[in-house]
Amino acid sequence: MSGRGRRAALPPSGFRKAPVLDADGLVLRPVSGAGKPLGVWDFRDSPGPADFRRVLVAALAAQGRGWGSEDTYRTNARALRLFFKEAAADEPPVTATGQITVEWWKTWASDIHVRRVLAAVVRRAPGVPAATRVFMETPRRRPPARRGRRRKEAHTREELRTIRTAAAATVRAGWLRIAANTAVLERWRAGAIEHGDGDWAVGEVLDVLARTGDLPRYRSSNDRSVMAQVERALGFEGNAASLTRLFPRPDEIGAASVLLIVHEAWNLSVLKKMDVPSWWPNADRTDPAVHQVDTDKARRGRRRYASNTLVDAGEGSSGGPCATSWS
């Protein structure tokens, strides 16, 4: 039933879900529960007998039925390709699941990460010896860290405050620069700047920049230089600096991303998958601004899709000008 009590529309008569595996069983084309394609994973060029590869690719398809992340498929597909490569290069080569013994698996999967990623897939393949399945299902302790290897540790609260302060300062500087130039542009478009005024030429150049994303340039096949009027209006500050009058620099975009991560306690993957919001709940008001963004947290399983509300409660808030001006 839909939210208003109407029955959801059914697929047309004769509808069949597209197969995950191609006819030859060596190409995987998974789709998420929301109908989003999750890549195409082709094992036709991997070494080894086709039947051997076909059984394990089918196991990968079965293991991935609950996955909704293309990154997860990429990690497992990369591990399976490595598996096929090493199995074919062994002496004698491993050409059937019955040859995946405990000793061979221990030797090949010495990397605990690879073993953990691929073991769940290999266990599903028919013909794998029972002893190997039991070994794969038994939890293994992570080996002790090598000497000299730096352990990953979380930032302390004081470190996070330092990071947040530095990121906010970077974003604020960019926001103030863009806001000042936007004000000149809006005055120019409103006819509030007289022709001949110093800001008139600046407004004219900014208007082109806002509409096209670039500065006025010579229309020549071998010359992409900006026009002399641009250099006079903007003070010979250089192309890159001129573009940032209305657009943030890469380091400012990175700092804004850091601020969102710190404010919302997100992982980087959440920010990478997040779409820029095209609406906000209180669109009829400008103060305070409320931004609603959709999030995708794959590790939550069925609860992976959610939304976050970012409210502009002033500087330092998650929806404040220094955190969401360019989101």
Side-chain angles (χ1 to χ4, degrees), residues 222-283:
N222 59 359
D223 190 354
R224 289 287 295 159
S225 301
V226 297
M227 294 183 176
Q229 69 186 74
V230 176
E231 296 183 342
R232 289 194 299 269
L234 304 184
F236 300 91
E237 59 188 7
N239 290 355
S242 298
L243 292 173
T244 61
R245 281 181 172 253
L246 292 180
F247 302 104
R249 302 194 310 258
D251 63 310
E252 293 166 346
I253 296 174
S257 301
V258 169
L259 280 181
L260 280 174
I261 289 173
V262 172
H263 274 293
E264 300 301 308
W266 287 339
N267 293 326
L268 180 59
S269 61
V270 175
L271 191 64
K272 288 169 63 177
K273 295 177 181 178
M274 189 177 70
D275 293 328
V276 176
S278 58
W279 66 281
W280 54 97
N282 63 336

Side-chain angles (χ1 to χ4, degrees), residues 177 180-182 184-185 188 193 197-210 212-217 225-247:
R177 180 190 69 250
N181 283 280
T182 301
V184 174
L185 173 60
W188 185 88
I193 301 177
D197 188 297
D199 280 345
W200 195 94
V202 174
E204 184 181 30
V205 173
L206 291 179
D207 178 65
V208 175
L209 178 59
T212 68
D214 198 5
L215 301 168
R217 299 180 185 274
S225 301
V226 297
M227 294 183 176
Q229 69 186 74
V230 176
E231 296 183 342
R232 289 194 299 269
L234 304 184
F236 300 91
E237 59 188 7
N239 290 355
S242 298
L243 292 173
T244 61
R245 281 181 172 253
L246 292 180
F247 302 104

Side-chain angles (χ1 to χ4, degrees), residues 2 18-20 46 51 55 103 108 137 157 170 172 175 181 183 190 224 228 240 246 254 259 266 274 283 314:
S2 67
V20 174
S46 294
D51 289 343
V55 167
E103 291 72 22
W108 177 78
E137 292 170 357
R157 290 183 178 274
T170 300
R172 179 175 178 77
W175 178 69
N181 283 280
R224 289 287 295 159
L246 292 180
L259 280 181
W266 287 339
M274 189 177 70

Side-chain angles (χ1 to χ4, degrees), residues 62-81:
Q63 180 66 20
R65 285 174 182 167
W67 297 343
S69 168
E70 184 172 341
D71 291 338
T72 303
Y73 275 100
R74 180 176 294 105
T75 299
N76 282 270
R78 185 183 296 120
L80 186 55
R81 289 194 181 98

Side-chain angles (χ1 to χ4, degrees), residues 59 192 290:
V290 178

Side-chain angles (χ1 to χ4, degrees), residues 91-244:
E91 290 294 342
V94 175
T95 59
T97 54
Q99 295 177 265
I100 306 176
T101 63
V102 173
E103 291 72 22
W104 188 89
W105 179 260
K106 288 170 64 176
T107 301
W108 177 78
S110 57
D111 187 320
I112 191 171
H113 175 69
V114 173
R115 184 163 63 226
R116 184 172 60 249
V117 165
L118 200 58
V121 173
V122 176
R123 287 202 308 266
R124 286 180 172 271
V128 176
T132 306
R133 294 179 188 276
V134 172
F135 179 80
M136 290 178 174
E137 292 170 357
T138 304
R140 307 291 161 185
R141 295 181 60 186
R142 184 178 293 275
R146 297 177 182 176
R147 290 184 178 181
R149 179 180 293 179
R150 186 176 180 181
R151 295 178 59 189
K152 294 182 179 180
E153 298 180 355
H155 291 294
T156 64
R157 290 183 178 274
E158 185 60 34
E159 288 173 335
L160 282 176
R161 278 193 289 269
T162 301
I163 293 171
R164 183 179 60 189
T165 300
T170 300
V171 175
R172 179 175 178 77
W175 178 69
L176 290 174
R177 180 190 69 250
I178 293 173
N181 283 280
T182 301
V184 174
L185 173 60
E186 291 176 346
R187 289 173 53 222
W188 185 88
R189 287 177 169 176
I193 301 177
E194 294 184 3
H195 194 286
D197 188 297
D199 280 345
W200 195 94
V202 174
E204 184 181 30
V205 173
L206 291 179
D207 178 65
V208 175
L209 178 59
R211 288 186 290 104
T212 68
D214 198 5
L215 301 168
R217 299 180 185 274
Y218 292 110
R219 296 182 178 275
S220 172
S221 59
N222 59 359
D223 190 354
R224 289 287 295 159
S225 301
V226 297
M227 294 183 176
Q229 69 186 74
V230 176
E231 296 183 342
R232 289 194 299 269
L234 304 184
F236 300 91
E237 59 188 7
N239 290 355
S242 298
L243 292 173
T244 61

